[in-house]
Amino acid sequence: MAIFSTDNPWAFAFGLLGNLISFMVFLAPVPTFYGVCKRKSTEGFQSVPYVVSLLSAMLWLYYASINSESNDFLLVTVNSVGCVIETIYVALYLAYAPKKAKIFTAKLMVMGFGGFCSFILLSRFLTEGSTRVQLLGWLCVGFSVIVFAAPLSVMRMVIRTKSVEFMPFSLSFFLTLSAVTWLLYGIFLKDIHIAVPNVLGFILGVLQMGLYLIYRKRNIMVLEKPDYLGGAKPIANTQSCSIASNDNVIHVDEVKERKEDVHEGEKSSEASDNEQVANSSCEV
């Protein structure tokens, strides 16, 4: 497999651009994990998106290494970096998560790595050549679809709460741009396994940006990050966002009215206290 091939300059150009954009997407959760390290607590955030992303990157890395029909060096670089970054995220999660979350994450990692190693061994002994590449390619497609489908829940909650507080436009934009570049990379390489999942990524990214434009001017704020996937709250990243509940959403104007009512109540209480002091002094 050649490292830099000029046989397909368009594929190389979009692959290089995809690497740059994907690196930025991989680094998106850094501020959140910085907060986790500073507070020394994950505060109920879940590890599933990062474990799944790590396994997906490992599968794509293996797929690129055995696919000799095309120049997948750029696929190797982006997923190598992805493996390193996602491993750091999982390690930080294990360092600061509560005991139950650590046990769950450890079991998930063991199952994931066990499945990955088992698949490699079985594919080595039971398949060969193009059959192995096809089987691994469709497995990669399946994991990529799971990763891209993660924002569906937050999109549903954005519609319910009419709030985009936990769905930043910049993240949706770069996810869409990343899907477009890798889609074009797969098309120019004529690799259906790379192109197919990024079609879904592009569609979901466009829908997210559309929802943001629709609800961005709504005068609504979310007071508390609600539960997510069985009681855990996610750390915002390339494939997951926090979701809001209807019970935690109020209008800003309503907040102001409540504050004014509290101030008026305090003033009236102070006035009544002064009157009582004046009356008692008169009686003396």
Side-chain angles (χ1 to χ4, degrees):
M1 180 174 66
I3 295 181
F4 292 105
S5 175
T6 57
D7 295 339
N8 200 330
W10 283 107
F12 177 78
F14 283 111
L16 185 61
L17 181 60
N19 270 258
L20 296 175
I21 297 173
S22 295
F23 293 158
M24 291 188 289
V25 175
F26 279 134
L27 295 176
V30 168
T32 304
F33 275 99
Y34 173 78
V36 168
C37 296
K38 190 175 182 180
R39 294 187 298 269
K40 300 184 184 303
S41 173
T42 57
E43 296 184 349
F45 295 137
Q46 66 157 344
S47 60
V48 176
Y50 305 99
V51 175
V52 173
S53 297
L54 174 59
L55 294 174
S56 178
M58 291 170 58
L59 285 170
W60 279 113
L61 185 59
Y62 180 55
Y63 172 79
S65 66
I66 67 172
N67 187 10
S68 59
E69 295 182 359
S70 60
N71 180 12
D72 282 337
F73 173 76
L74 295 172
L75 201 62
V76 171
T77 57
V78 67
N79 286 288
S80 297
V81 174
C83 285
V84 173
I85 294 177
E86 297 297 338
T87 300
I88 294 174
Y89 290 157
V90 174
L92 290 174
Y93 184 90
L94 289 172
Y96 296 108
K99 184 177 180 180
K100 289 184 178 180
K102 286 182 179 179
I103 294 175
F104 173 77
T105 303
K107 289 181 179 179
L108 194 62
M109 290 290 292
V110 171
M111 292 174 58
F113 279 109
F116 177 75
C117 295
S118 299
F119 176 81
I120 292 179
L121 291 175
L122 290 174
S123 64
R124 285 289 181 182
F125 289 106
L126 300 180
T127 61
E128 60 181 19
S130 61
T131 304
R132 182 188 304 163
V133 173
Q134 291 293 322
L135 180 62
L136 180 60
W138 286 112
L139 184 62
C140 290
V141 170
F143 266 86
S144 297
V145 168
I146 294 174
V147 172
F148 278 126
L152 287 175
S153 54
V154 71
M155 291 168 63
R156 182 175 68 89
M157 296 310 298
V158 166
I159 296 174
R160 288 180 57 190
T161 62
K162 297 180 175 58
S163 171
V164 293
E165 182 177 357
F166 299 113
M167 192 180 72
F169 181 82
S170 58
L171 182 57
S172 299
F173 174 76
F174 280 110
L175 283 173
T176 306
L177 194 59
S178 176
V180 171
T181 54
W182 287 114
L183 171 61
L184 293 173
Y185 177 77
I187 290 175
F188 282 111
L189 281 183
K190 298 180 180 179
D191 192 325
I192 190 174
H193 304 118
I194 299 176
V196 167
N198 285 290
V199 172
L200 177 62
F202 170 72
I203 294 173
L204 291 176
V206 171
L207 291 176
Q208 286 184 61
M209 291 190 294
L211 287 177
Y212 185 91
L213 294 176
I214 293 173
Y215 294 113
R216 67 188 177 89
K217 293 184 178 180
R218 299 298 178 94
N219 200 23
I220 294 176
M221 67 179 182
V222 180
L223 297 182
E224 182 181 356
K225 295 179 183 179
D227 292 340
Y228 178 85
L229 293 182
K233 299 175 184 177
I235 299 175
N237 67 64
T238 62
Q239 283 88 23
S240 62
C241 299
S242 301
I243 336 175
S245 171
N246 284 335
D247 298 334
N248 297 321
V249 178
I250 61 174
H251 286 274
V252 176
D253 295 335
E254 186 178 347
V255 174
K256 294 179 180 179
E257 291 176 0
R258 291 182 185 179
K259 289 182 178 180
E260 292 175 357
D261 292 340
V262 171
H263 290 313
E264 290 179 358
E266 291 176 352
K267 291 180 181 179
S268 61
S269 176
E270 292 176 358
S272 61
D273 291 341
N274 293 332
E275 289 178 359
Q276 290 177 2
V277 172
N279 292 336
S280 61
S281 61
C282 291
E283 289 175 0
V284 174

mmCIF file with all atom_site columns, all heavy atoms in Angstrom, residues 252-275:
data_model
loop_
_atom_site.group_PDB
_atom_site.id
_atom_site.type_symbol
_atom_site.label_atom_id
_atom_site.label_alt_id
_atom_site.label_comp_id
_atom_site.label_asym_id
_atom_site.label_entity_id
_atom_site.label_seq_id
_atom_site.pdbx_PDB_ins_code
_atom_site.Cartn_x
_atom_site.Cartn_y
_atom_site.Cartn_z
_atom_site.occupancy
_atom_site.B_iso_or_equiv
_atom_site.pdbx_formal_charge
_atom_site.auth_seq_id
_atom_site.auth_comp_id
_atom_site.auth_asym_id
_atom_site.auth_atom_id
_atom_site.pdbx_PDB_model_num
ATOM 1   N N   . VAL A 1 252 ? -37.596 32.705 30.128 1.00 0.00 ? 252 VAL A N   1
ATOM 2   C CA  . VAL A 1 252 ? -36.775 33.683 30.816 1.00 0.00 ? 252 VAL A CA  1
ATOM 3   C C   . VAL A 1 252 ? -37.637 34.773 31.429 1.00 0.00 ? 252 VAL A C   1
ATOM 4   O O   . VAL A 1 252 ? -37.363 35.270 32.520 1.00 0.00 ? 252 VAL A O   1
ATOM 5   C CB  . VAL A 1 252 ? -35.738 34.284 29.835 1.00 0.00 ? 252 VAL A CB  1
ATOM 6   C CG1 . VAL A 1 252 ? -34.944 35.377 30.506 1.00 0.00 ? 252 VAL A CG1 1
ATOM 7   C CG2 . VAL A 1 252 ? -34.826 33.197 29.316 1.00 0.00 ? 252 VAL A CG2 1
ATOM 8   N N   . ASP A 1 253 ? -38.697 35.188 30.725 1.00 0.00 ? 253 ASP A N   1
ATOM 9   C CA  . ASP A 1 253 ? -39.583 36.216 31.263 1.00 0.00 ? 253 ASP A CA  1
ATOM 10  C C   . ASP A 1 253 ? -40.216 35.766 32.567 1.00 0.00 ? 253 ASP A C   1
ATOM 11  O O   . ASP A 1 253 ? -40.407 36.559 33.499 1.00 0.00 ? 253 ASP A O   1
ATOM 12  C CB  . ASP A 1 253 ? -40.684 36.548 30.236 1.00 0.00 ? 253 ASP A CB  1
ATOM 13  C CG  . ASP A 1 253 ? -40.101 37.186 28.988 1.00 0.00 ? 253 ASP A CG  1
ATOM 14  O OD1 . ASP A 1 253 ? -39.003 37.785 29.094 1.00 0.00 ? 253 ASP A OD1 1
ATOM 15  O OD2 . ASP A 1 253 ? -40.738 37.088 27.925 1.00 0.00 ? 253 ASP A OD2 1
ATOM 16  N N   . GLU A 1 254 ? -40.531 34.483 32.638 1.00 0.00 ? 254 GLU A N   1
ATOM 17  C CA  . GLU A 1 254 ? -41.129 33.955 33.856 1.00 0.00 ? 254 GLU A CA  1
ATOM 18  C C   . GLU A 1 254 ? -40.138 34.022 35.007 1.00 0.00 ? 254 GLU A C   1
ATOM 19  O O   . GLU A 1 254 ? -40.500 34.292 36.152 1.00 0.00 ? 254 GLU A O   1
ATOM 20  C CB  . GLU A 1 254 ? -41.571 32.515 33.627 1.00 0.00 ? 254 GLU A CB  1
ATOM 21  C CG  . GLU A 1 254 ? -42.331 31.918 34.804 1.00 0.00 ? 254 GLU A CG  1
ATOM 22  C CD  . GLU A 1 254 ? -42.792 30.506 34.506 1.00 0.00 ? 254 GLU A CD  1
ATOM 23  O OE1 . GLU A 1 254 ? -42.732 30.108 33.333 1.00 0.00 ? 254 GLU A OE1 1
ATOM 24  O OE2 . GLU A 1 254 ? -43.205 29.822 35.451 1.00 0.00 ? 254 GLU A OE2 1
ATOM 25  N N   . VAL A 1 255 ? -38.853 33.783 34.708 1.00 0.00 ? 255 VAL A N   1
ATOM 26  C CA  . VAL A 1 255 ? -37.830 33.886 35.742 1.00 0.00 ? 255 VAL A CA  1
ATOM 27  C C   . VAL A 1 255 ? -37.753 35.304 36.274 1.00 0.00 ? 255 VAL A C   1
ATOM 28  O O   . VAL A 1 255 ? -37.665 35.541 37.484 1.00 0.00 ? 255 VAL A O   1
ATOM 29  C CB  . VAL A 1 255 ? -36.461 33.449 35.175 1.00 0.00 ? 255 VAL A CB  1
ATOM 30  C CG1 . VAL A 1 255 ? -35.358 33.677 36.195 1.00 0.00 ? 255 VAL A CG1 1
ATOM 31  C CG2 . VAL A 1 255 ? -36.504 31.995 34.759 1.00 0.00 ? 255 VAL A CG2 1
ATOM 32  N N   . LYS A 1 256 ? -37.805 36.290 35.364 1.00 0.00 ? 256 LYS A N   1
ATOM 33  C CA  . LYS A 1 256 ? -37.741 37.683 35.778 1.00 0.00 ? 256 LYS A CA  1
ATOM 34  C C   . LYS A 1 256 ? -38.929 38.052 36.657 1.00 0.00 ? 256 LYS A C   1
ATOM 35  O O   . LYS A 1 256 ? -38.809 38.764 37.655 1.00 0.00 ? 256 LYS A O   1
ATOM 36  C CB  . LYS A 1 256 ? -37.683 38.591 34.548 1.00 0.00 ? 256 LYS A CB  1
ATOM 37  C CG  . LYS A 1 256 ? -36.401 38.424 33.727 1.00 0.00 ? 256 LYS A CG  1
ATOM 38  C CD  . LYS A 1 256 ? -36.423 39.342 32.517 1.00 0.00 ? 256 LYS A CD  1
ATOM 39  C CE  . LYS A 1 256 ? -35.152 39.174 31.697 1.00 0.00 ? 256 LYS A CE  1
ATOM 40  N NZ  . LYS A 1 256 ? -35.164 40.037 30.491 1.00 0.00 ? 256 LYS A NZ  1
ATOM 41  N N   . GLU A 1 257 ? -40.127 37.588 36.279 1.00 0.00 ? 257 GLU A N   1
ATOM 42  C CA  . GLU A 1 257 ? -41.315 37.887 37.059 1.00 0.00 ? 257 GLU A CA  1
ATOM 43  C C   . GLU A 1 257 ? -41.211 37.303 38.459 1.00 0.00 ? 257 GLU A C   1
ATOM 44  O O   . GLU A 1 257 ? -41.582 37.928 39.449 1.00 0.00 ? 257 GLU A O   1
ATOM 45  C CB  . GLU A 1 257 ? -42.554 37.334 36.348 1.00 0.00 ? 257 GLU A CB  1
ATOM 46  C CG  . GLU A 1 257 ? -42.883 38.076 35.055 1.00 0.00 ? 257 GLU A CG  1
ATOM 47  C CD  . GLU A 1 257 ? -44.057 37.441 34.336 1.00 0.00 ? 257 GLU A CD  1
ATOM 48  O OE1 . GLU A 1 257 ? -44.577 36.440 34.862 1.00 0.00 ? 257 GLU A OE1 1
ATOM 49  O OE2 . GLU A 1 257 ? -44.448 37.949 33.273 1.00 0.00 ? 257 GLU A OE2 1
ATOM 50  N N   . ARG A 1 258 ? -40.674 36.108 38.560 1.00 0.00 ? 258 ARG A N   1
ATOM 51  C CA  . ARG A 1 258 ? -40.519 35.488 39.873 1.00 0.00 ? 258 ARG A CA  1
ATOM 52  C C   . ARG A 1 258 ? -39.541 36.275 40.732 1.00 0.00 ? 258 ARG A C   1
ATOM 53  O O   . ARG A 1 258 ? -39.746 36.442 41.929 1.00 0.00 ? 258 ARG A O   1
ATOM 54  C CB  . ARG A 1 258 ? -40.023 34.038 39.708 1.00 0.00 ? 258 ARG A CB  1
ATOM 55  C CG  . ARG A 1 258 ? -41.061 33.109 39.104 1.00 0.00 ? 258 ARG A CG  1
ATOM 56  C CD  . ARG A 1 258 ? -40.521 31.692 39.014 1.00 0.00 ? 258 ARG A CD  1
ATOM 57  N NE  . ARG A 1 258 ? -41.471 30.820 38.333 1.00 0.00 ? 258 ARG A NE  1
ATOM 58  C CZ  . ARG A 1 258 ? -41.239 29.532 38.102 1.00 0.00 ? 258 ARG A CZ  1
ATOM 59  N NH1 . ARG A 1 258 ? -40.112 28.979 38.505 1.00 0.00 ? 258 ARG A NH1 1
ATOM 60  N NH2 . ARG A 1 258 ? -42.141 28.793 37.475 1.00 0.00 ? 258 ARG A NH2 1
ATOM 61  N N   . LYS A 1 259 ? -38.429 36.747 40.123 1.00 0.00 ? 259 LYS A N   1
ATOM 62  C CA  . LYS A 1 259 ? -37.477 37.550 40.872 1.00 0.00 ? 259 LYS A CA  1
ATOM 63  C C   . LYS A 1 259 ? -38.113 38.841 41.377 1.00 0.00 ? 259 LYS A C   1
ATOM 64  O O   . LYS A 1 259 ? -37.884 39.273 42.512 1.00 0.00 ? 259 LYS A O   1
ATOM 65  C CB  . LYS A 1 259 ? -36.260 37.877 39.987 1.00 0.00 ? 259 LYS A CB  1
ATOM 66  C CG  . LYS A 1 259 ? -35.370 36.674 39.707 1.00 0.00 ? 259 LYS A CG  1
ATOM 67  C CD  . LYS A 1 259 ? -34.166 37.082 38.865 1.00 0.00 ? 259 LYS A CD  1
ATOM 68  C CE  . LYS A 1 259 ? -33.259 35.886 38.629 1.00 0.00 ? 259 LYS A CE  1
ATOM 69  N NZ  . LYS A 1 259 ? -32.082 36.270 37.816 1.00 0.00 ? 259 LYS A NZ  1
ATOM 70  N N   . GLU A 1 260 ? -38.927 39.502 40.521 1.00 0.00 ? 260 GLU A N   1
ATOM 71  C CA  . GLU A 1 260 ? -39.591 40.729 40.930 1.00 0.00 ? 260 GLU A CA  1
ATOM 72  C C   . GLU A 1 260 ? -40.560 40.473 42.077 1.00 0.00 ? 260 GLU A C   1
ATOM 73  O O   . GLU A 1 260 ? -40.657 41.250 43.026 1.00 0.00 ? 260 GLU A O   1
ATOM 74  C CB  . GLU A 1 260 ? -40.329 41.336 39.735 1.00 0.00 ? 260 GLU A CB  1
ATOM 75  C CG  . GLU A 1 260 ? -39.378 41.854 38.652 1.00 0.00 ? 260 GLU A CG  1
ATOM 76  C CD  . GLU A 1 260 ? -40.143 42.339 37.434 1.00 0.00 ? 260 GLU A CD  1
ATOM 77  O OE1 . GLU A 1 260 ? -41.391 42.208 37.442 1.00 0.00 ? 260 GLU A OE1 1
ATOM 78  O OE2 . GLU A 1 260 ? -39.507 42.854 36.499 1.00 0.00 ? 260 GLU A OE2 1
ATOM 79  N N   . ASP A 1 261 ? -41.283 39.346 42.029 1.00 0.00 ? 261 ASP A N   1
ATOM 80  C CA  . ASP A 1 261 ? -42.208 39.002 43.109 1.00 0.00 ? 261 ASP A CA  1
ATOM 81  C C   . ASP A 1 261 ? -41.461 38.794 44.415 1.00 0.00 ? 261 ASP A C   1
ATOM 82  O O   . ASP A 1 261 ? -41.919 39.195 45.495 1.00 0.00 ? 261 ASP A O   1
ATOM 83  C CB  . ASP A 1 261 ? -42.983 37.722 42.746 1.00 0.00 ? 261 ASP A CB  1
ATOM 84  C CG  . ASP A 1 261 ? -43.935 37.949 41.583 1.00 0.00 ? 261 ASP A CG  1
ATOM 85  O OD1 . ASP A 1 261 ? -44.267 39.127 41.329 1.00 0.00 ? 261 ASP A OD1 1
ATOM 86  O OD2 . ASP A 1 261 ? -44.334 36.968 40.947 1.00 0.00 ? 261 ASP A OD2 1
ATOM 87  N N   . VAL A 1 262 ? -40.276 38.166 44.341 1.00 0.00 ? 262 VAL A N   1
ATOM 88  C CA  . VAL A 1 262 ? -39.483 37.943 45.548 1.00 0.00 ? 262 VAL A CA  1
ATOM 89  C C   . VAL A 1 262 ? -39.033 39.260 46.148 1.00 0.00 ? 262 VAL A C   1
ATOM 90  O O   . VAL A 1 262 ? -39.111 39.473 47.355 1.00 0.00 ? 262 VAL A O   1
ATOM 91  C CB  . VAL A 1 262 ? -38.260 37.049 45.228 1.00 0.00 ? 262 VAL A CB  1
ATOM 92  C CG1 . VAL A 1 262 ? -37.317 36.990 46.429 1.00 0.00 ? 262 VAL A CG1 1
ATOM 93  C CG2 . VAL A 1 262 ? -38.716 35.646 44.863 1.00 0.00 ? 262 VAL A CG2 1
ATOM 94  N N   . HIS A 1 263 ? -38.558 40.213 45.298 1.00 0.00 ? 263 HIS A N   1
ATOM 95  C CA  . HIS A 1 263 ? -38.114 41.518 45.781 1.00 0.00 ? 263 HIS A CA  1
ATOM 96  C C   . HIS A 1 263 ? -39.262 42.286 46.414 1.00 0.00 ? 263 HIS A C   1
ATOM 97  O O   . HIS A 1 263 ? -39.094 42.932 47.457 1.00 0.00 ? 263 HIS A O   1
ATOM 98  C CB  . HIS A 1 263 ? -37.513 42.334 44.633 1.00 0.00 ? 263 HIS A CB  1
ATOM 99  C CG  . HIS A 1 263 ? -36.193 41.781 44.164 1.00 0.00 ? 263 HIS A CG  1
ATOM 100 N ND1 . HIS A 1 263 ? -35.184 41.428 45.030 1.00 0.00 ? 263 HIS A ND1 1
ATOM 101 C CD2 . HIS A 1 263 ? -35.731 41.514 42.915 1.00 0.00 ? 263 HIS A CD2 1
ATOM 102 C CE1 . HIS A 1 263 ? -34.152 40.978 44.350 1.00 0.00 ? 263 HIS A CE1 1
ATOM 103 N NE2 . HIS A 1 263 ? -34.457 41.010 43.058 1.00 0.00 ? 263 HIS A NE2 1
ATOM 104 N N   . GLU A 1 264 ? -40.441 42.238 45.781 1.00 0.00 ? 264 GLU A N   1
ATOM 105 C CA  . GLU A 1 264 ? -41.596 42.936 46.343 1.00 0.00 ? 264 GLU A CA  1
ATOM 106 C C   . GLU A 1 264 ? -41.992 42.344 47.687 1.00 0.00 ? 264 GLU A C   1
ATOM 107 O O   . GLU A 1 264 ? -42.351 43.055 48.625 1.00 0.00 ? 264 GLU A O   1
ATOM 108 C CB  . GLU A 1 264 ? -42.767 42.850 45.358 1.00 0.00 ? 264 GLU A CB  1
ATOM 109 C CG  . GLU A 1 264 ? -42.546 43.678 44.088 1.00 0.00 ? 264 GLU A CG  1
ATOM 110 C CD  . GLU A 1 264 ? -43.707 43.537 43.131 1.00 0.00 ? 264 GLU A CD  1
ATOM 111 O OE1 . GLU A 1 264 ? -44.635 42.776 43.457 1.00 0.00 ? 264 GLU A OE1 1
ATOM 112 O OE2 . GLU A 1 264 ? -43.666 44.179 42.068 1.00 0.00 ? 264 GLU A OE2 1
ATOM 113 N N   . GLY A 1 265 ? -41.894 41.011 47.794 1.00 0.00 ? 265 GLY A N   1
ATOM 114 C CA  . GLY A 1 265 ? -42.210 40.353 49.061 1.00 0.00 ? 265 GLY A CA  1
ATOM 115 C C   . GLY A 1 265 ? -41.244 40.756 50.150 1.00 0.00 ? 265 GLY A C   1
ATOM 116 O O   . GLY A 1 265 ? -41.635 40.978 51.303 1.00 0.00 ? 265 GLY A O   1
ATOM 117 N N   . GLU A 1 266 ? -39.946 40.903 49.794 1.00 0.00 ? 266 GLU A N   1
ATOM 118 C CA  . GLU A 1 266 ? -38.974 41.318 50.789 1.00 0.00 ? 266 GLU A CA  1
ATOM 119 C C   . GLU A 1 266 ? -39.227 42.758 51.241 1.00 0.00 ? 266 GLU A C   1
ATOM 120 O O   . GLU A 1 266 ? -39.122 43.083 52.425 1.00 0.00 ? 266 GLU A O   1
ATOM 121 C CB  . GLU A 1 266 ? -37.567 41.197 50.198 1.00 0.00 ? 266 GLU A CB  1
ATOM 122 C CG  . GLU A 1 266 ? -37.136 39.749 49.971 1.00 0.00 ? 266 GLU A CG  1
ATOM 123 C CD  . GLU A 1 266 ? -35.792 39.667 49.297 1.00 0.00 ? 266 GLU A CD  1
ATOM 124 O OE1 . GLU A 1 266 ? -35.292 40.740 48.877 1.00 0.00 ? 266 GLU A OE1 1
ATOM 125 O OE2 . GLU A 1 266 ? -35.247 38.542 49.183 1.00 0.00 ? 266 GLU A OE2 1
ATOM 126 N N   . LYS A 1 267 ? -39.596 43.634 50.296 1.00 0.00 ? 267 LYS A N   1
ATOM 127 C CA  . LYS A 1 267 ? -39.869 45.020 50.660 1.00 0.00 ? 267 LYS A CA  1
ATOM 128 C C   . LYS A 1 267 ? -41.071 45.137 51.575 1.00 0.00 ? 267 LYS A C   1
ATOM 129 O O   . LYS A 1 267 ? -41.080 45.884 52.555 1.00 0.00 ? 267 LYS A O   1
ATOM 130 C CB  . LYS A 1 267 ? -40.095 45.850 49.385 1.00 0.00 ? 267 LYS A CB  1
ATOM 131 C CG  . LYS A 1 267 ? -38.836 46.042 48.543 1.00 0.00 ? 267 LYS A CG  1
ATOM 132 C CD  . LYS A 1 267 ? -39.141 46.866 47.307 1.00 0.00 ? 267 LYS A CD  1
ATOM 133 C CE  . LYS A 1 267 ? -37.887 47.044 46.461 1.00 0.00 ? 267 LYS A CE  1
ATOM 134 N NZ  . LYS A 1 267 ? -38.178 47.832 45.232 1.00 0.00 ? 267 LYS A NZ  1
ATOM 135 N N   . SER A 1 268 ? -42.134 44.410 51.263 1.00 0.00 ? 268 SER A N   1
ATOM 136 C CA  . SER A 1 268 ? -43.330 44.459 52.089 1.00 0.00 ? 268 SER A CA  1
ATOM 137 C C   . SER A 1 268 ? -43.053 43.907 53.476 1.00 0.00 ? 268 SER A C   1
ATOM 138 O O   . SER A 1 268 ? -43.569 44.395 54.486 1.00 0.00 ? 268 SER A O   1
ATOM 139 C CB  . SER A 1 268 ? -44.459 43.672 51.430 1.00 0.00 ? 268 SER A CB  1
ATOM 140 O OG  . SER A 1 268 ? -44.096 42.311 51.284 1.00 0.00 ? 268 SER A OG  1
ATOM 141 N N   . SER A 1 269 ? -42.193 42.883 53.574 1.00 0.00 ? 269 SER A N   1
ATOM 142 C CA  . SER A 1 269 ? -41.851 42.315 54.869 1.00 0.00 ? 269 SER A CA  1
ATOM 143 C C   . SER A 1 269 ? -41.078 43.308 55.701 1.00 0.00 ? 269 SER A C   1
ATOM 144 O O   . SER A 1 269 ? -41.304 43.473 56.900 1.00 0.00 ? 269 SER A O   1
ATOM 145 C CB  . SER A 1 269 ? -41.026 41.041 54.672 1.00 0.00 ? 269 SER A CB  1
ATOM 146 O OG  . SER A 1 269 ? -40.603 40.506 55.899 1.00 0.00 ? 269 SER A OG  1
ATOM 147 N N   . GLU A 1 270 ? -40.121 44.035 55.037 1.00 0.00 ? 270 GLU A N   1
ATOM 148 C CA  . GLU A 1 270 ? -39.361 45.043 55.760 1.00 0.00 ? 270 GLU A CA  1
ATOM 149 C C   . GLU A 1 270 ? -40.260 46.175 56.241 1.00 0.00 ? 270 GLU A C   1
ATOM 150 O O   . GLU A 1 270 ? -40.122 46.693 57.349 1.00 0.00 ? 270 GLU A O   1
ATOM 151 C CB  . GLU A 1 270 ? -38.258 45.613 54.867 1.00 0.00 ? 270 GLU A CB  1
ATOM 152 C CG  . GLU A 1 270 ? -37.166 44.591 54.548 1.00 0.00 ? 270 GLU A CG  1
ATOM 153 C CD  . GLU A 1 270 ? -36.157 45.150 53.585 1.00 0.00 ? 270 GLU A CD  1
ATOM 154 O OE1 . GLU A 1 270 ? -36.356 46.318 53.157 1.00 0.00 ? 270 GLU A OE1 1
ATOM 155 O OE2 . GLU A 1 270 ? -35.180 44.440 53.267 1.00 0.00 ? 270 GLU A OE2 1
ATOM 156 N N   . ALA A 1 271 ? -41.221 46.588 55.421 1.00 0.00 ? 271 ALA A N   1
ATOM 157 C CA  . ALA A 1 271 ? -42.139 47.670 55.794 1.00 0.00 ? 271 ALA A CA  1
ATOM 158 C C   . ALA A 1 271 ? -42.983 47.280 56.997 1.00 0.00 ? 271 ALA A C   1
ATOM 159 O O   . ALA A 1 271 ? -43.188 48.059 57.924 1.00 0.00 ? 271 ALA A O   1
ATOM 160 C CB  . ALA A 1 271 ? -43.030 48.020 54.608 1.00 0.00 ? 271 ALA A CB  1
ATOM 161 N N   . SER A 1 272 ? -43.484 46.049 57.002 1.00 0.00 ? 272 SER A N   1
ATOM 162 C CA  . SER A 1 272 ? -44.305 45.602 58.131 1.00 0.00 ? 272 SER A CA  1
ATOM 163 C C   . SER A 1 272 ? -43.484 45.530 59.404 1.00 0.00 ? 272 SER A C   1
ATOM 164 O O   . SER A 1 272 ? -43.950 45.863 60.493 1.00 0.00 ? 272 SER A O   1
ATOM 165 C CB  . SER A 1 272 ? -44.909 44.235 57.814 1.00 0.00 ? 272 SER A CB  1
ATOM 166 O OG  . SER A 1 272 ? -43.878 43.286 57.618 1.00 0.00 ? 272 SER A OG  1
ATOM 167 N N   . ASP A 1 273 ? -42.224 45.142 59.302 1.00 0.00 ? 273 ASP A N   1
ATOM 168 C CA  . ASP A 1 273 ? -41.354 45.095 60.479 1.00 0.00 ? 273 ASP A CA  1
ATOM 169 C C   . ASP A 1 273 ? -41.118 46.491 61.041 1.00 0.00 ? 273 ASP A C   1
ATOM 170 O O   . ASP A 1 273 ? -41.136 46.703 62.260 1.00 0.00 ? 273 ASP A O   1
ATOM 171 C CB  . ASP A 1 273 ? -40.001 44.452 60.116 1.00 0.00 ? 273 ASP A CB  1
ATOM 172 C CG  . ASP A 1 273 ? -40.153 42.971 59.806 1.00 0.00 ? 273 ASP A CG  1
ATOM 173 O OD1 . ASP A 1 273 ? -41.188 42.388 60.209 1.00 0.00 ? 273 ASP A OD1 1
ATOM 174 O OD2 . ASP A 1 273 ? -39.257 42.402 59.159 1.00 0.00 ? 273 ASP A OD2 1
ATOM 175 N N   . ASN A 1 274 ? -40.935 47.481 60.153 1.00 0.00 ? 274 ASN A N   1
ATOM 176 C CA  . ASN A 1 274 ? -40.724 48.854 60.604 1.00 0.00 ? 274 ASN A CA  1
ATOM 177 C C   . ASN A 1 274 ? -41.956 49.399 61.309 1.00 0.00 ? 274 ASN A C   1
ATOM 178 O O   . ASN A 1 274 ? -41.866 50.131 62.301 1.00 0.00 ? 274 ASN A O   1
ATOM 179 C CB  . ASN A 1 274 ? -40.349 49.748 59.413 1.00 0.00 ? 274 ASN A CB  1
ATOM 180 C CG  . ASN A 1 274 ? -38.977 49.374 58.841 1.00 0.00 ? 274 ASN A CG  1
ATOM 181 O OD1 . ASN A 1 274 ? -38.120 48.858 59.572 1.00 0.00 ? 274 ASN A OD1 1
ATOM 182 N ND2 . ASN A 1 274 ? -38.792 49.642 57.553 1.00 0.00 ? 274 ASN A ND2 1
ATOM 183 N N   . GLU A 1 275 ? -43.138 49.058 60.751 1.00 0.00 ? 275 GLU A N   1
ATOM 184 C CA  . GLU A 1 275 ? -44.376 49.530 61.389 1.00 0.00 ? 275 GLU A CA  1
ATOM 185 C C   . GLU A 1 275 ? -44.548 48.957 62.782 1.00 0.00 ? 275 GLU A C   1
ATOM 186 O O   . GLU A 1 275 ? -44.949 49.612 63.714 1.00 0.00 ? 275 GLU A O   1
ATOM 187 C CB  . GLU A 1 275 ? -45.564 49.123 60.517 1.00 0.00 ? 275 GLU A CB  1
ATOM 188 C CG  . GLU A 1 275 ? -45.647 49.919 59.205 1.00 0.00 ? 275 GLU A CG  1
ATOM 189 C CD  . GLU A 1 275 ? -46.791 49.459 58.343 1.00 0.00 ? 275 GLU A CD  1
ATOM 190 O OE1 . GLU A 1 275 ? -47.487 48.514 58.777 1.00 0.00 ? 275 GLU A OE1 1
ATOM 191 O OE2 . GLU A 1 275 ? -46.966 50.022 57.254 1.00 0.00 ? 275 GLU A OE2 1
#
